[in-house]
Amino acid sequence: MTPAQQHAHDAARFTELVESAGPGDWTRPSPVAGWTALDVVKHLVEWSRGFLRGAGIELPALDIAAGPAAAWKQHAADIQAILDDPAGRVLSNPHTGDKPVDEAIDQFYTADVWMHTWDLAKALGREPDLGQDRCAAALAAMRPIEQLLRDSGQYGPAVPVADDASPQDQLMAFIGRDPAWRP
């Protein structure tokens, strides 16, 4: 898939979860320690909008707490518009270097949406399905750079799982989530 297609796919799956949440669901705990379901959405919206400043893209702030579903849908549309017409823009970041904006969004943001889909689904009491093949591929790519990932502070300590755990459970455990977590 192209970066635009991948985002459209992953954002649509996340949007389904966001739209399924009732007003009382936003305060439910998530598998990310100290985060609620609302915090998962807030994280995805806020960090990525700041990240895009590295490409000279200024997106207006959104009031996520006032309307999580509306804010998320606006955010997803804003990102999709950039991916649909990257216009040769390059994103510069001291941690990632210079990359075409669509590649940077795909590598860092869309992958984050995909993985945080698991967190939001769990917070809402649903069983997520991130796709076993995609989970296995992501885990295979992450294992060789495990120390770098751990040193970044983005992932917690790995959670032990059985050797025959599904690729999704192995991936979630690798990034510090307990696959058996329940709200």
Side-chain angles (χ1 to χ4, degrees), residues 18-167:
V18 168
E19 289 178 333
S20 76
D25 289 332
W26 294 113
T27 58
R28 292 174 64 127
S30 85
V32 181
W35 281 16
T36 63
L38 181 65
D39 292 324
V40 174
V41 176
K42 189 175 179 183
H43 163 74
L44 289 171
V45 171
E46 290 179 348
W47 86 258
S48 59
R49 288 172 105 74
F51 181 68
L52 289 169
R53 289 187 192 114
I57 299 169
E58 282 286 336
L59 297 173
L62 297 171
D63 190 348
I64 301 142
W72 170 256
K73 287 192 271 187
Q74 179 62 57
H75 176 70
D78 291 344
I79 300 296
Q80 193 64 47
I82 295 164
L83 289 168
D84 288 341
D85 183 17
R89 291 177 281 201
V90 172
L91 190 140
S92 297
N93 181 286
H95 305 291
T96 64
D98 292 350
K99 291 183 177 287
V101 72
D102 55 338
E103 289 178 24
I105 290 170
D106 186 55
Q107 183 177 356
F108 300 107
Y109 170 74
T110 303
D112 208 33
V113 171
W114 173 64
M115 286 201 281
H116 280 300
T117 297
W118 189 88
D119 295 319
L120 184 57
K122 286 290 211 175
L124 297 175
R126 296 182 183 84
E127 279 306 311
D129 179 4
L130 299 181
Q132 298 303 327
D133 291 343
R134 190 171 176 192
C135 288
L139 185 58
M142 295 168 100
R143 282 194 195 281
I145 57 170
E146 180 173 2
Q147 196 56 54
L148 176 73
L149 295 172
R150 300 257 178 255
D151 291 347
S152 76
Q154 299 300 309
Y155 301 104
V159 173
V161 292
D163 291 341
D164 65 347
S166 71

